[in-house]
């Protein structure tokens, strides 16, 4: 069975801790986001930097507006929360937590009669946090070690100097990578094309068929570029 997966750090709509869209562009960008998510054809979307409110005035909640029916983590107005959405995908056994004080959400679904765990994660950013990202990667690998089928959507935040060593921790386990794997490297940070920080990682029994980075910055407003992969659950 083939599915389309997206991971997207929506970056508080590129306004950081201001939380949400300014009033002068709120209506336009909200409509653009709605059209994009409705038309992207993705079965599962993993979000990072999900915020409770769409607007800086904090009057319009993200859920249940354009991101409904996303399953959020603890939510609130910070710059790191994660969320999941399944279009015609039933999520159950949903949970939210943290790895090394970084958030993740997880849910299970049935795909091709298999129980598949789906994650959205957000690793530590910054050049000084390379060792923290290794800790987070190893903890995540330990979490999924007992899972037969899984999909991880995430902003892994490596610097160019440590991305190869970070993602090698996953390939060493026989996992499939949409970014920095057999499909090559995809720039997913709009501010610097040398950063390949967002990824979709699957268990060895889920094939990745194709990958693209969908640069929609002109219509949306996150500083990240959505990464989309078509996968096949064997």
């Amino acid at each position: 069975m083939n599915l389309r997966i997206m991971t997207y750090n929506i970056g508080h709509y590129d306004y950081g801790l201001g939380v949400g869209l300014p009033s002068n562009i709120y209506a336009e960008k909200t409509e653009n986001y709605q059209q994009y998510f409705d038309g992207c054809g993705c079965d599962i979307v993993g979000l990072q930097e999900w915020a409770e409110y769409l607007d800086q005035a904090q009057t319009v909640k993200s859920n249940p507006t354009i991101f409904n029916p996303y399953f959020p983590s603890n939510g609130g107005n910070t710059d790191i929360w994660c969320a999941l959405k399944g279009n015609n995908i039933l999520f159950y056994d949903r949970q939210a937590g943290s790895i090394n004080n970084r958030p993740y959400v997880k849910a299970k679904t049935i795909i091709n009669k298999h129980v598949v765990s789906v994650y959205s994660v957000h690793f530590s950013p910054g050049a000084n946090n390379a060792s923290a990202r290794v800790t987070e990667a190893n903890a995540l690998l330990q979490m999924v070690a007992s899972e037969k089928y899984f999909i991880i959507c995430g902003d892994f935040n490596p610097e160019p100097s440590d991305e190869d060593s970070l993602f090698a921790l996953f390939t060493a386990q026989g996992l499939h990578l949409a970014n920095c794997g057999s499909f090559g490297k995809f720039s997913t940070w709009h501010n610097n094309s040398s950063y390949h920080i967002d990824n979709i990682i699957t268990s060895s029994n889920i094939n990745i068929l194709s990958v693209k980075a969908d640069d929609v910055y002109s219509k949306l407003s996150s500083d990240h570029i959505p990464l989309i992969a078509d996968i096949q659950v064997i």
Side-chain angles (χ1 to χ4, degrees):
M1 181 177 182
N2 296 356
L3 296 173
R4 176 161 288 186
I5 313 296
M6 177 194 293
T7 188
Y8 188 20
N9 181 325
I10 57 174
H12 276 191
Y13 326 105
D14 203 22
Y15 291 93
L17 291 177
V19 186
L21 296 163
S23 58
N24 63 320
I25 64 168
Y26 165 74
E28 174 193 354
K29 295 297 184 183
T30 299
E31 182 177 357
N32 288 348
Y33 271 106
Q34 180 71 71
Q35 291 177 352
Y36 181 66
F37 283 110
D38 285 349
C40 68
C42 291
D43 301 286
I44 294 174
V45 179
L47 289 180
Q48 302 83 42
E49 296 195 27
W50 174 88
E52 184 177 1
Y53 291 96
L54 281 171
D55 61 329
Q56 288 186 3
Q58 298 185 19
T59 60
V60 181
K61 288 196 172 186
S62 297
N63 187 8
T65 52
I66 64 171
F67 299 135
N68 185 49
Y70 282 90
F71 162 58
S73 62
N74 294 337
N77 294 315
T78 74
D79 63 347
I80 57 174
W81 296 114
C82 300
L84 287 170
K85 180 185 179 183
N87 290 328
N88 300 314
I89 296 287
L90 177 63
F91 281 141
Y92 66 98
D93 194 18
R94 303 181 299 181
Q95 61 179 267
S98 63
I99 302 172
N100 195 29
N101 294 317
R102 300 294 297 181
Y104 76 90
V105 293
K106 171 190 173 183
K108 293 182 179 180
T109 189
I110 304 295
I111 302 173
N112 199 23
K113 298 183 180 180
H114 300 299
V115 176
V116 180
S117 293
V118 185
Y119 293 79
S120 179
V121 303
H122 192 189
F123 281 12
S124 295
N128 296 327
N129 280 323
S131 62
R133 289 188 286 274
V134 170
T135 297
E136 290 150 16
N138 285 326
L140 180 59
L141 284 167
Q142 188 171 1
M143 288 176 63
V144 301
S146 61
E147 309 273 10
K148 186 174 181 181
Y149 291 85
F150 58 84
I151 301 164
I152 304 169
C153 301
D155 176 2
F156 293 84
N157 267 322
E159 296 288 313
S161 59
D162 69 274
E163 68 183 20
D164 289 339
S165 59
L166 179 67
F167 289 131
L169 297 173
F170 296 92
T171 55
Q173 301 300 316
L175 307 185
H176 297 151
L177 276 65
N179 206 356
C180 298
S182 60
F183 288 89
K185 295 187 175 184
F186 295 84
S187 172
T188 58
W189 193 36
H190 201 275
N191 293 340
N192 189 325
S193 61
S194 64
Y195 281 75
H196 315 96
I197 58 182
D198 302 282
N199 216 329
I200 297 167
I201 300 175
T202 67
S203 51
S204 59
N205 46 21
I206 298 179
N207 292 328
I208 298 178
L209 305 176
S210 64
V211 184
K212 70 174 181 178
D214 194 14
D215 193 345
V216 288
Y217 182 79
S218 61
K219 291 185 176 181
L220 306 183
S221 52
S222 173
D223 56 345
H224 285 246
I225 298 169
L227 185 72
I228 298 174
D230 291 314
I231 68 166
Q232 181 185 55
V233 179
I234 301 171

